[in-house]
């Protein structure tokens, strides 16, 4: 039986049974092969933009005997999909800016899509912002640490499919302890994550604070006005992140 990393397993768990899947940047077609083998999807398109991964994905599908369910296609982003052909799209292992660009360029392909499952390696706030701006409602945020890296999995549905609005989801609120989680901070840190404050999420932001602290140390060595302005902005960002982390920990029993 095909085994997946825990990251891909968590993505697979969010794919509804009976889905018609497009896995963009499929990387050996592992996710669609696993789902097809489980009988969870009725068809899949594994999209790859480069010839090497395309050949590897084609080999995986052929060797697993799943060619009647999975079709590997060579193309850029959602170019591999026809309008109305799929109802679930997964995009994993890319930067948030690239994921948002793929979705934006392929918006006409999303009319029949009922679920987006996105796993940005960085730039999660960019993905949340794109979803909010384009009528997609974030319904789930999941996070895990695997092999020393932390991954976020963001699942969204069309706004018409849920009664909660984006404005409600990102509405500012005050955490126990007094820190205000405003729209900008919720886009950055995740509206569900801020409430749940899981250990992996806390670790992610503690690491981010360490990274920002190192950048501040470098900026302190410069007397340039632009550097000092950047330093002040970073210190304010660190202050707000730190306050949220402190408040979420205080709120735990």
């Amino acid at each position: 039986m095909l085994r997946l990393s825990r990251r891909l397993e968590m993505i697979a768990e969010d794919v509804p049974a009976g889905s018609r899947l497009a896995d963009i940047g499929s990387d050996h077609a592992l996710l669609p092969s696993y789902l097809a083998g489980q009988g969870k999807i009725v068809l899949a398109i594994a999209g790859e933009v480069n010839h090497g991964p395309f050949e590897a994905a084609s080999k995986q599908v052929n060797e697993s005997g799943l060619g009647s369910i999975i079709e590997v296609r060579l193309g850029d982003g959602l170019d591999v999909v026809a309008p109305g052909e799929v109802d679930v799209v997964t995009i994993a292992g890319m930067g948030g800016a690239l994921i948002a660009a793929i979705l934006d360029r392929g918006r006409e392909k999303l009319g029949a899509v009922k679920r987006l499952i996105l796993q940005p390696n960085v730039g999660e706030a960019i993905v949340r912002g794109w979803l909010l701006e384009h009528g997609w409602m974030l319904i789930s945020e999941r996070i895990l640490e695997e092999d020393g890296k932390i991954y976020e999995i963001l699942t969204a549905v069309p706004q018409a499919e849920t009664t909660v609005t984006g404005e409600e989801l990102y509405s500012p609120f005050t955490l126990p302890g007094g820190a205000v989680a405003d729209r900008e901070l919720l886009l950055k840190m995740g509206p569900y994550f801020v409430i749940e404050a899981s250990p992996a999420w806390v670790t992610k932001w503690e690491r981010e604070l360490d990274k920002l602290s190192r950048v501040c140390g470098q900026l302190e060595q410069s007397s340039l006005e632009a550097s000092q302005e950047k330093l002040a902005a970073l210190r304010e960002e660190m202050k707000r992140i730190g306050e949220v982390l402190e408040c979420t920990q205080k709120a735990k029993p």
Side-chain angles (χ1 to χ4, degrees):
M1 180 184 295
L2 182 64
R3 297 295 300 271
L4 298 181
S5 65
R6 181 57 187 148
R7 174 181 66 95
L8 288 179
E9 279 184 350
M10 288 180 71
I11 294 171
E13 289 166 2
D14 277 357
V15 176
S19 294
R20 295 174 290 122
L21 173 72
D23 186 36
I24 305 303
S26 198
D27 188 21
H28 292 73
L30 293 178
L31 179 63
S33 294
Y34 174 84
L35 289 167
Q38 296 285 313
K40 197 173 182 182
I41 56 174
V42 297
L43 69 84
I45 297 162
E48 272 298 346
V49 69
N50 295 314
H51 284 275
F54 169 79
E55 296 294 341
S58 299
K59 181 179 179 182
Q60 167 64 37
V61 171
N62 291 333
E63 290 181 350
S64 60
L66 295 169
S68 63
I69 299 175
I70 305 169
E71 182 178 349
V72 183
R73 297 180 184 173
L74 184 66
D76 189 2
L78 289 166
D79 289 352
V80 299
V81 179
E85 193 171 16
V86 300
D87 53 25
V88 175
V89 172
T90 53
I91 311 176
M94 305 179 194
L98 179 55
I99 290 175
I102 288 171
L103 293 172
D104 201 58
R105 195 166 63 85
R107 272 184 291 168
E108 75 281 1
K109 307 293 182 70
L110 299 177
V113 173
K114 300 299 183 184
R115 181 167 294 210
L116 298 173
I117 306 170
L118 312 170
Q119 183 268 295
N121 287 342
V122 294
E124 296 87 356
I126 297 172
V127 176
R128 291 189 186 96
W130 188 93
L131 294 170
L132 179 63
E133 182 180 350
H134 293 91
W136 288 84
M137 182 65 190
L138 188 66
I139 61 167
S140 169
E141 295 179 311
R142 305 176 74 189
I143 190 166
L144 76 154
E145 183 171 3
E146 186 172 49
D147 298 330
K149 296 181 180 179
I150 294 178
Y151 303 100
E152 295 185 9
I153 299 166
L154 312 179
T155 300
V157 299
Q159 180 61 67
E161 299 292 320
T162 177
T163 58
V164 180
T165 68
E167 292 303 317
E168 291 171 332
L169 182 62
Y170 292 101
S171 178
F173 66 94
T174 302
L175 290 160
V180 175
D182 62 14
R183 178 189 176 107
E184 179 183 357
L185 188 141
L186 292 172
L187 284 167
K188 179 192 298 288
M189 300 183 77
Y192 298 105
F193 288 145
V194 168
I195 294 171
E196 296 164 2
S198 70
W201 178 82
V202 172
T203 297
K204 172 191 169 90
W205 287 103
E206 288 176 341
R207 291 177 183 175
E208 185 64 21
L209 286 176
D210 288 341
K211 192 185 307 179
L212 291 174
S213 180
R214 290 193 293 271
V215 174
C216 286
Q218 295 170 353
L219 290 171
E220 286 170 354
Q221 307 305 312
S222 173
S223 59
L224 293 174
E225 183 178 352
S227 297
Q228 293 306 303
E229 290 176 354
K230 178 67 173 177
L231 177 61
L234 287 180
R235 283 176 172 165
E236 178 61 24
E237 181 180 0
M238 291 177 64
K239 177 175 178 289
R240 297 182 67 224
I241 293 170
E243 288 174 347
V244 168
L245 290 180
E246 183 178 357
C247 286
T248 58
Q249 297 311 293
K250 285 181 178 178
K252 290 186 174 181

